Amino acid sequence: QIQRALRSLSIPLERLHIMKGHMMQDMCKGLSRQTHAQAKVRMLPTYICSIPNGTENGNFLVVELCQSQIRTVLVTLYGDGNMSPRMVYKIFDLPEGIAQGEGEALFDFIAQCLSQFLTETFSSDTNKSEERLPLGFVFPFSCRQTQLDKAELLTWSKGFSCSGVVGKDVVQLLQSAINKQELCHVDVVAVMNDTVGTMMTCSTEGRPCEVAMVADKGSNCCFMAEAYLVETADETSGRMCVNTEWGCFGDDGTLNDVFTPYDECVDVESSNPGEKRFEKMVGTLYLGEIVRHALIALTAEKAVFTGTDIAVLKEKGVFTMQHVLEIVRNEDGTTDVKRILEDLGLQPSERDCGRVQQVCRAVVGRSATLHATGLAAILSYMCQTRDMETLMVNVGMEGEIYKGYPRFEEILMSVSRLLSPECMATLLPSRDGSGRGAAMVTAVALRLAAQRREVNEVLGPLRLSRADLEKVQALMRQEMEQGLGKDTNATASVRMLPTYVTHTPDGTERGDFLALDLGGTNFRVLVVHVTEEGINMASEIYVIPADIMQGTGEALFDHIIDCIVDFQMKQNLVKDMLPLGFTFSFPCKQVGLDKALLLTWTKGFSASGCVGQDVVQLLREAARRKQHLGMQVVALVNDTVGTMMACGYDDPKCEIGLIVGTGTNACYMEEMKNVGTVQGDEGRMCINMEWGAFGDNGCLDHLFTSFDKVVDETTINPGKQRFEKLISGMYLGEIVRQILMVMTEKQLLFQGKLSPKLQTRNIFQTKFLSTIELNGLPLRQIRAILNELEIDASFEDSVLLREVCQTVSLRAAQLCAAGLAAVVEKMRENQGLDQLSVTVGVDGTLYKLHPCFSDNLRKTLKDLAPNCNVSFLLSEDGSGKGAALVAAVASRAAN
């Protein structure tokens, strides 16, 4: 019988693996907004998002509500890495019956203790007695916390049952009681349970501690989780300490097969049968009772105490945890065991003493094993969600069984290693309980609040209000009108260039069309087949050698024609006379659909005899020289118009083109009667806005921050393309770098240490923003990006870096939306509509690759232009397919 009893208290390794899996599943349930209510492992957010960094200083008060006492502590921190805090304590015993009385009486008593403690502590120092004192409140009961200083009590436990507290904010109750005592300089800043206090206490000696376990009357564990996984809180960046409340694990029946008859008896006799099943197998409040029921059962089976009176064992609570610990600690024979059992009123034999000792060891050994299983679940979860192959972490430890049972640590370490071999935990014993930790939570909260004020000061100028955006929208509208006006066009910052494209595709286009895409050292030749079934294309890329880029115009255009001939031969298209659309991505003054004068070369081109000439004519002359008759240039297009046309084929409502990539631009279909720079009032024409230069006349100076000014001054065209420099991919990374340098100088980042690499222009690429802002990207990967820049970043640095990137990219998307809002509202008014439905064809790496840009653009546009229903369609190959479609539409119109 004794062996059977011991076996039932021992859980095999395979079963522990299953239990660990169940615990992890329940943790995920507890964190999810959908399933939180059903989860037994509650996973409550604590709103503690940072651990101490050693710079905390000042005086901090702590009040800790314990089982039978109130503990008051004054902690003084000196900003020395928290190595030598000064601590003054006073302990007050709770009056008889107060834990079951009225809630108001309990909180009034706590405030009276605090008042007495302060009077005694500051009796001689009148200056100090009036300084503001932030207070941390350790409240070791299950609460629903919604802020660091707001927590509603869910249920009392541990013998407490005060009326009028459940469902109330305990911080408010304590602050009201403190105010009654006229302690107006004491502010409750944070509330936490003892587990969180333990984690923070163990974080004070220069070693970050991210997990804590309390193995005491109750049992609990907390850890730093990735904040975006804590769906029940609004915080999404960085990490947040989660209080698992794992005591209720198994209340759904998952532990039934390991729940022994002794556990059943303890559960039935408890004040909450069927609840907190896990805690009842591991907490010191229950272990003595489990031993007592095991001994009663073994006596009935005549395995112990045969022929003696065991009436004393029938009494609940007679066999305490203290007895259990004394019995298991006794390694030398059974003399002490005999004395303990005799003191209880039993008459044990030598054999009884040995068997009682075996039962006690099995019960506390099982408690240690189950604690290890819970810890393994948490460590594996942290390792997985941080996307790490191995996890090394410090675990703060506190509690009666941890301190009192010599083998607890050994079992905890060996079993958790077996269950989570990928995790290495180091146990840190908590000194002075939760008091010091609660002071730390309070000190960190104040440090973060001060830091937040400074961060807001730096980022404030980049954060745009609705009024700011409405002003940008109005200014864009004003500049558009000026650009369209015959007399004002020359001085407008938004040029509003006519493109002579008068129709978008209607789906009836058919035939084969050539496209030529010239925008850099490589150029493409394409053939686009437009059939009833849709579009298919073939293309080839050709290189322009440097000597031709910088030679004569004749040589350049001859080379282009040679490449077109080569392509048509390969595609078997030599005999055909095909219409060609020419995407020419250099500044031009367009004077007809197939006539455009080159204003200036850019991108390393300097071919002579071209500036001021019609580039279509130069291409036609080269074709004549080469006697190539297989093409007819019908349209010259820029890439923004090409984007609109490419999307217009798939969606007839597409009447706007938008590029947000390295640069930015937009075009749209305008009523001819509004285009003062072109004769004629009938029909419509696509206007190439060239909106990158919006603000070059100074109208956006109020939005330019010190960071934007520095970036602008270091570009090759200071004072030009001002709007583009706030929005496009070419500049955002450099804006972020400027902010990071200022924040580092202000000691807000990287411990104030500027790496030489971070001081290098353009080293922080815009693609870094796209990576850093990916929701759910482990902060480890942000640190990897910073390591590339030779920056040693802390966890908090990574969180702040993400915020900087989000601020810069959000502003870019909002400004882009304000510009677009001006366009769609103008189109709506042009057409005299209450509600406009229109599609924007969009291209560019920033729009396509940045994880939040497109969403932020859409949301802001909806807000600024509520009467316009705007859809976005991603363009595929605007400069190729789009140019061919311009040719196709022109051919259709001509026929």
Side-chain angles (χ1 to χ4, degrees), residues 211-232:
V211 185
M213 180 191 288
V214 171
D216 204 72
K217 290 186 171 56
S219 169
N220 198 8
C221 197
C222 69
F223 70 100
M224 294 300 283
E226 303 302 300
Y228 76 94
L229 295 168
V230 189
E231 292 180 7
T232 48

Side-chain angles (χ1 to χ4, degrees), residues 143-297:
C143 289
R144 188 176 77 86
Q145 203 156 348
T146 50
Q147 282 165 217
L148 188 57
D149 60 352
K150 190 171 172 56
E152 288 172 14
L153 177 64
L154 293 172
T155 56
W156 284 114
S157 57
K158 304 170 195 171
F160 278 74
S161 58
C162 297
S163 62
V165 184
V166 172
K168 297 272 176 60
D169 175 11
V170 294
V171 172
Q172 197 48 58
L173 294 174
L174 178 59
Q175 189 70 61
S176 302
I178 288 171
N179 296 347
K180 273 193 231 169
Q181 294 294 319
E182 297 184 356
L183 300 172
C184 48
H185 59 299
V186 175
D187 300 313
V188 187
V189 168
V191 62
M192 73 224 71
N193 70 3
D194 49 348
T195 321
V196 176
T198 297
M199 183 182 84
M200 293 300 261
T201 295
C202 293
S203 288
T204 57
E205 282 151 33
R207 298 181 292 184
C209 175
E210 296 192 86
V211 185
M213 180 191 288
V214 171
D216 204 72
K217 290 186 171 56
S219 169
N220 198 8
C221 197
C222 69
F223 70 100
M224 294 300 283
E226 303 302 300
Y228 76 94
L229 295 168
V230 189
E231 292 180 7
T232 48
D234 293 334
E235 191 62 52
T236 55
S237 64
R239 290 186 184 141
M240 182 184 284
C241 177
V242 170
N243 167 23
T244 63
E245 289 291 340
W246 70 16
C248 296
F249 175 55
D251 287 6
D252 55 358
T254 43
L255 295 179
N256 285 2
D257 60 319
V258 291
F259 218 60
T260 65
Y262 326 126
D263 296 310
E264 293 288 359
C265 295
V266 172
D267 184 37
V268 168
E269 287 181 4
S270 71
S271 60
N272 53 351
E275 291 173 22
K276 298 222 167 188
R277 305 283 290 250
F278 185 70
E279 185 165 287
K280 285 171 188 167
M281 296 171 81
V282 300
T284 60
L285 196 60
Y286 306 100
L287 300 190
E289 282 296 284
I290 296 171
V291 170
R292 180 175 76 86
H293 279 289
L295 295 180
I296 291 170

Side-chain angles (χ1 to χ4, degrees), residues 81-148:
N82 303 322
M83 296 313 268
S84 51
R86 179 170 158 272
M87 303 183 66
V88 182
Y89 291 93
K90 186 167 175 72
I91 290 172
F92 300 85
D93 289 327
L94 280 174
E96 190 78 31
I98 197 166
Q100 294 79 36
E102 284 184 17
E104 191 177 351
L106 173 66
F107 284 95
D108 284 346
F109 178 70
I110 296 173
Q112 284 156 18
C113 296
L114 191 60
S115 178
Q116 189 183 330
F117 172 62
L118 288 174
T119 306
E120 291 171 16
T121 310
F122 290 134
S123 54
S124 56
D125 194 336
T126 48
N127 289 342
K128 272 200 172 159
S129 62
E130 284 312 305
E131 72 168 279
R132 292 217 78 72
L133 280 173
L135 179 142
F137 182 26
V138 182
F139 187 73
F141 301 95
S142 186
C143 289
R144 188 176 77 86
Q145 203 156 348
T146 50
Q147 282 165 217
L148 188 57

